[in-house]
Amino acid sequence: MTLVAAAVCPHPPLLVPQVAGVDPIEVRDHASAAVARLCALAPDHIVVVGDDAADAHYAGSAVGSLAGFGVDLSFSLGASGTGPAVLPLSLTIGAWLLREAGWAGRCSARGVPAATGPAAAAAIGADLVATAEADGSRLALLIMGDGSARRTVKAPGSLDPRAAAYDASVSAALATLDVTALLALDPALAADLLAPGRASWQVLAGALRRATPGDPARSWTSLVRYDDAPFGVGYLVVGWERADGTRADRQEKRATAQSGR
């Protein structure tokens, strides 16, 4: 089989209620809904992709911690995990989202350094799909990545006038499944704008290009659930699915048909 779905989510620690406290975090509900939908499509394997200090592979037993953000919480990618916390923040938040969605299936993760070039990032995505094709599994990707942290004067990186246009270009590319536009994102500009999602988005582009040669918009759908910068940081939540139907959709249609008999 091959790639069947993907979800794009940001990875601020504030997604976790114990970190955010009483502060309302609107993006949390949208990210949770996107990941719940990803799990409902019943893939055989979910791979979480996110920003990391090094190119790294993580098994489902890998653990991440939010101790550095003032809360004694740890999450593993799979249903159970032991050992020291090794996941970077991006993958730790991905693990939390999967836990909240109740995912108990196969899961692993890939850490991608910010310095990874577009071609190398695309190759990682293509390799993930090729592996799924070889073992006959239905692959889903959870892509963790923030936009620019320079959207306002109070943003972590202060205001950069290029930030809003950059994030808008990413949103448009994800909305239209524009692989070419995603792969054209400039690593140097992304670094200037403090946008750690760039390499992970290009992994997704490479995966889609491998899974769907030609025009992906003909056989995929995209749903932008959230696009805003509430703390001066661009947050995007997007879901991609094959338009020709999924296992979850077929089961729902079958149940509906049977109930109408």
Side-chain angles (χ1 to χ4, degrees):
M1 299 297 288
T2 186
L3 181 68
V4 296
V8 175
C9 293
H11 53 73
L14 289 175
L15 280 186
V16 180
Q18 291 89 332
V19 177
V22 298
D23 293 336
I25 308 297
E26 182 183 358
V27 67
R28 179 189 300 138
D29 289 342
H30 297 283
S32 294
V35 175
R37 174 60 182 173
L38 191 74
C39 295
L41 296 174
D44 298 314
H45 183 195
I46 294 179
V47 177
V48 188
V49 177
D51 181 60
D52 202 347
D55 188 341
H57 300 257
Y58 299 96
S61 59
V63 174
S65 171
L66 292 176
F69 298 92
V71 294
D72 186 17
L73 289 175
S74 297
F75 316 106
S76 62
L77 285 166
S80 62
T82 59
V86 296
L87 296 176
L89 175 63
S90 62
L91 302 181
T92 298
I93 298 301
W96 177 79
L97 285 167
L98 287 171
R99 192 191 73 165
E100 291 298 294
W103 179 250
R106 183 183 173 198
C107 184
S108 61
R110 183 68 185 263
V112 184
T116 305
I124 291 171
D127 183 64
L128 291 172
V129 172
T131 300
E133 292 172 344
D135 65 20
S137 63
R138 302 171 71 255
L139 172 68
L141 297 177
L142 175 52
I143 305 295
M144 308 301 297
D146 293 352
S148 174
R150 307 193 68 178
R151 290 281 294 272
T152 68
V153 293
K154 294 184 178 181
S158 73
L159 176 66
D160 188 306
R162 302 171 293 174
Y166 176 88
D167 284 351
S169 70
V170 175
S171 178
L174 291 171
T176 58
L177 299 125
D178 190 338
V179 169
T180 300
L182 288 173
L183 293 176
L185 294 173
D186 180 19
L189 177 59
D192 284 350
L193 297 178
L194 306 180
R198 188 272 311 166
S200 298
W201 299 326
Q202 290 177 332
V203 170
L204 174 60
L208 186 63
R209 186 170 63 181
R210 167 63 189 248
T212 316
D215 182 7
R218 292 181 177 273
S219 53
W220 286 75
T221 62
S222 175
L223 173 62
V224 178
R225 295 177 178 267
Y226 186 86
D227 180 1
D228 205 352
F231 305 104
V233 182
Y235 295 155
L236 281 163
V237 179
V238 183
W240 283 3
E241 298 180 20
R242 285 189 176 271
D244 54 358
T246 63
R247 181 182 303 175
D249 291 333
R250 291 193 295 271
Q251 291 173 340
E252 181 178 351
K253 291 175 182 177
R254 187 180 303 116
T256 300
Q258 291 174 344
S259 66
R261 288 176 182 173

